[in-house]
Amino acid sequence: MTESAQRRPVRPLAVTGYSIASALGSNRAEHLAALAAGRTGLGPPPFALPFQTAVGALPFEPPELTGPLTQWSTRLARMIAHLVQDLDEPLRRARARWRPERIGILMGTSTAGAESTERAYQAFVATGRFPDRYDFLRQHTFGASLHVVAELTGARGPAWMVSTACTSGAKPLASAARLIAAGMLDAAVVGGVDTLCTMTLHGFESLQALDRVPCRPFHKDRLGISIGEGGALMLLERDGDGRVLIESVGETSDAYHISAPHPEGHGAEAAMREALAFAGRRPEDVDHVNAHGTGTRLNDTAEAKAIARVFAQPLPVISTKSYTGHTLAAAGAIEAVFAALAIEEGFLPPSLHADPLDPEVKLNVPTSVTRGRFRHVLSNSFAFGGNNVSVLVGAP
Amino acid sequence: MKYPRVAITGVGLWVKGFPTAKAWLAGSADPAAEKPLGTALDKVNRRRAGPLGRALADVAAEAIAMAGADPATVPTIIGSSIGEAATMIGLLDQMWRKHEPMSPAEFTVSVHNAASGLISICNKNRGMTTSLAADSDTPAAALLEGIGMVLTRGTPVLVACGDEPAPENLAGQAPLWAMLASAIVLAPPDTSPRLADLELEHATPGADELSPAALPPLHNPRFDALLVNNPQIGLAWLVDAALRRATGSVPLDNGDGRGYLAEVRAFPA
């Protein structure tokens, strides 16, 4: 445990609304239906690739942004606009409660506008010219979409994009907790978004990290990840009638390797222990872990060791990446929403494609629906750079 | 709107010709200081790092040393508007122009948080590190995240911001800028010794509070136009003010941001 975990610097925040989009659908109801049916969203890539892999592509195309937002209308920004629209009602209530400058926008992305840039660059290579519509500052930069969120939400508080690769969607929850605890904000729109990019797929292929079939987290023969796209937003408020609570967030580093996790999962363990310590919870208070569970040999083994050291009880551990794919910067936010769904709906989906389980994974990984009362759920996210985040979601 | 006061206990700076904050304060340019060396990184990770990662590691090390903070525990916040854009363009070139297999080593350091990862590895820091962006408001965003950390954890926090020049062919009509990296260690208010006290302020149109700019504005003409165009200039201005033991109001963006201001009050040396 890190030194700072001895303090309890944050208080639970009310999640007064959330929205979600992934290969499973465009809203909460579609996700719930897919998870309950054990139906994966993974399938063939929507564009040609010189290698075989499965991806989790959005089953819908968010509409172009119009009017003054036209220049910002990347696929990423369009997905964000869709998510904001789905959060409209709780946002309206929040705007009535809090001053605009007391509502922050704290989000995460790893690809940012890379999808637009790679298409523009492809055109440049072919023709010697960038498309007239391409605008680096409004379409490529990590912060560009913040303008879209501010315009659509009316939030005028501090705004930034976290970009810590695959923990980017979980870390904004920690930022919001800090700023609200420090009296700097009353509410925040938080979450993570990423879109499918050719470059990302080629990059993970270069690392030999892609499975040829839909990913199989914790399976004995798993060979890697399936990349997905999507996003989730949560509206966090200082207090109020939350559907669930964000009780705490643990953040640590492996300080081990730029792209490989520590083989014993020490950083992952520290993140989980820090989340528990910040919330004043004991391991036995936790009912379920939504694992990072990417499907790579290294990640799943290391994470399983870490979870087994933290929890003596055989609590159910699942990976939902076999449904959505690894949505990179969106994963932490999407899986925090899945943690919320477990608490609200009282069921866990089967951990798809996990059977037969890797004998090194000494965890209870259910491969059929689990029903029960889940009061506290941990959601793990780990990333390049040895970046680890564990989010503790609680019942109100 | 004003944000809570914190202390500044250390600073670091890299601009071409001035590889440290101390060199900048001394004012004599070193023509040999063309590129950041990354001396704060070990050999393996120095090879991995691009110019931005090297510069951020060096300014971070300078600020941590000045503050007397523990590099193995200090929470670290890295800010950059475009991150490793140059590395990404190299990957696109491999893919679309050269039709070569992508370099896995290059891919792993193309992420925005490459610098924060490398710094944490080299410092054996297993605590919190993050990496964020907010275009020209990145310095303000990183400082606000840092202030939140200081106030909730009660420990010093490192904030380092930097940007390489935007890739010329991609940036199109965007203003050119020169590379710049700077760092600051924030600490709980009234920490002693300290360089200065810091309060961030944001004037919100239509709100009751107005930006009073009660303190005289600070301006150092040694920052030329190419540096001023860099989205991270705000943190460098703040570093410069703290180094000079100046008291006044420092804009945290170059006019393209939302108008965050830093009020800095020198602490007697």
Side-chain angles (χ1 to χ4, degrees):
Chain A
M1 192 190 308
T2 59
E3 208 174 283
S4 54
Q6 293 158 19
R7 298 170 59 86
R8 189 189 176 196
V10 297
R11 52 185 276 185
L13 300 178
V15 180
T16 53
Y18 57 77
S19 55
I20 184 168
S22 78
L24 298 183
S26 63
N27 57 39
R28 181 184 188 274
E30 290 175 9
H31 281 78
L32 201 54
L35 293 172
R39 187 175 67 240
T40 183
L42 298 179
F47 40 74
L49 288 170
F51 47 83
Q52 189 181 337
T53 190
V55 301
L58 286 185
F60 67 102
E61 202 54 40
E64 288 286 345
L65 304 183
T66 56
L69 292 179
T70 303
Q71 284 176 293
W72 280 266
S73 189
T74 60
R75 194 151 181 274
L76 188 88
R78 292 191 280 121
M79 179 161 52
I80 292 172
H82 165 81
L83 292 167
V84 170
Q85 190 174 31
D86 213 22
L87 206 57
D88 184 58
E89 183 57 29
L91 272 170
R92 191 183 55 73
R93 287 195 298 267
R95 283 194 298 266
R97 289 188 78 194
W98 315 111
R99 285 161 38 194
E101 67 273 20
R102 301 282 300 173
I103 305 174
I105 301 167
L106 309 171
M107 294 177 53
T109 182
S110 69
T111 60
E115 186 260 350
S116 298
T117 296
E118 67 181 28
R119 278 193 288 109
Y121 202 80
Q122 194 174 17
F124 172 68
V125 168
T127 67
R129 285 193 60 198
F130 282 95
D132 291 340
R133 194 175 170 277
Y134 180 69
D135 184 332
F136 179 78
L137 293 180
R138 291 183 175 86
Q139 294 168 12
H140 175 86
T141 68
F142 291 84
S145 309
L146 294 170
H147 176 78
V148 174
V149 185
E151 285 302 303
L152 296 177
T153 60
R156 294 292 182 266
W160 62 75
M161 279 285 185
V162 173
S163 192
T164 51
C166 307
T167 54
S168 308
K171 286 184 87 74
L173 280 69
S175 301
R178 275 191 285 275
L179 268 59
I180 290 174
M184 297 161 70
L185 283 181
D186 292 316
V189 178
V190 302
V193 284
D194 257 352
T195 55
L196 281 175
C197 297
T198 314
M199 188 189 76
T200 311
L201 284 153
H202 278 261
F204 280 103
E205 173 69 6
S206 77
L207 291 168
Q208 301 180 314
L210 296 179
D211 206 331
R212 300 293 171 221
V213 297
C215 67
R216 299 165 283 174
F218 302 123
H219 188 283
K220 72 178 181 63
D221 297 327
R222 68 188 182 279
L223 286 175
I225 62 180
S226 301
I227 301 287
E229 63 180 351
L233 297 182
M234 284 182 159
L235 180 59
L236 305 186
E237 299 188 55
R238 178 181 294 285
D239 50 42
D241 294 328
R243 305 176 72 134
V244 293
L245 304 173
I246 298 300
E247 293 211 349
S248 61
V249 185
E251 297 172 279
T252 66
S253 303
D254 281 358
Y256 172 72
H257 190 272
I258 192 70
S259 59
H262 190 285
E264 297 301 316
H266 289 318
E269 176 184 355
M272 288 185 275
R273 291 195 188 280
E274 187 172 280
L276 292 171
F278 280 174
R281 298 282 176 201
R282 299 164 303 166
E284 50 268 40
D285 295 331
V286 176
D287 303 308
H288 159 53
V289 176
N290 185 309
H292 186 52
T294 58
T296 66
R297 305 281 333 163
L298 280 175
N299 174 84
D300 293 5
T301 307
E303 184 177 13
K305 289 177 183 173
I307 293 171
R309 285 196 299 272
V310 175
F311 300 101
Q313 76 274 32
L315 80 179
V317 178
I318 65 167
S319 168
T320 42
K321 288 188 171 68
S322 47
Y323 292 82
T324 60
H326 188 349
T327 56
L328 306 177
I334 284 176
E335 289 157 24
V337 167
F338 288 163
L341 287 176
I343 291 168
E344 290 180 286
E345 301 294 330
F347 88 94
L348 306 179
S351 200
L352 277 186
H353 314 146
D355 193 23
L357 199 64
D358 183 342
E360 280 195 73
V361 173
K362 300 185 191 316
L363 300 174
N364 168 22
V365 181
T367 52
S368 57
V369 168
T370 306
R371 298 196 183 279
R373 186 162 180 257
F374 304 102
R375 300 283 299 167
H376 298 101
V377 177
L378 265 182
S379 175
N380 285 342
S381 298
F382 312 130
F384 275 6
N387 204 286
N388 309 299
V389 181
S390 193
V391 179
L392 182 62
V393 185
Chain B
M1 166 157 181
K2 276 199 171 190
Y3 294 96
R5 178 170 57 88
V6 293
I8 297 173
T9 56
V11 294
L13 182 72
W14 189 95
V15 298
K16 188 177 169 183
F18 298 95
T20 64
K22 283 179 185 160
W24 175 261
L25 186 63
S28 52
D30 175 3
E34 286 273 321
K35 291 179 180 172
L37 298 177
T39 48
L41 298 170
D42 61 46
K43 271 187 191 170
V44 171
N45 287 304
R46 194 180 310 150
R47 274 200 301 274
R48 283 196 178 117
L52 179 63
R54 292 178 183 193
L56 286 166
D58 286 352
V59 298
E62 187 183 18
I64 289 170
M66 190 186 295
D70 181 358
T73 58
V74 65
T76 300
I77 297 159
I78 301 291
S80 179
S81 173
I82 62 172
E84 299 285 344
T87 308
M88 179 200 163
I89 297 307
L91 294 174
L92 291 179
D93 231 41
Q94 283 177 0
M95 208 167 59
W96 298 129
R97 191 194 302 275
K98 299 173 185 163
H99 304 288
E100 292 172 349
M102 193 169 282
S103 154
E106 290 288 302
F107 177 65
T108 55
V109 292
S110 71
V111 292
H112 191 279
N113 64 320
S116 76
L118 294 173
I119 292 169
S120 94
I121 292 167
C122 288
N123 289 342
K124 297 182 172 49
N125 188 330
R126 296 186 171 82
M128 179 271 189
T129 179
T130 193
S131 194
L132 57 80
D135 290 336
S136 292
D137 287 315
T138 305
L143 287 168
L144 288 166
E145 174 77 299
I147 292 167
M149 283 291 293
V150 167
L151 295 178
T152 54
R153 297 204 178 194
T155 62
V157 172
L158 171 75
V159 173
C161 293
D163 261 318
E164 291 185 83
E168 273 187 53
N169 55 2
L170 269 184
Q173 302 303 314
L176 295 176
W177 66 71
M179 183 161 168
L180 165 74
S182 53
I184 212 156
V185 173
L186 304 176
D190 304 324
T191 296
S192 188
R194 61 188 183 273
L195 291 171
D197 294 323
L198 171 69
E199 278 183 285
L200 255 61
E201 183 186 3
H202 183 220
T204 307
D208 292 340
E209 299 97 332
L210 293 175
S211 174
L215 299 164
L218 297 172
H219 177 66
N220 187 337
R222 278 171 56 209
F223 286 108
D224 62 26
L226 278 177
L227 289 172
V228 169
N229 284 343
N230 191 304
Q232 309 311 321
I233 186 65
L235 195 69
W237 279 331
L238 184 56
V239 164
D240 172 71
L243 267 176
R244 291 190 286 120
R245 301 289 181 137
T247 291
S249 179
V250 180
L252 287 175
D253 68 73
N254 55 14
D256 289 338
R258 295 167 63 192
Y260 284 94
L261 289 173
E263 288 185 8
V264 58
R265 285 182 189 274
F267 186 71

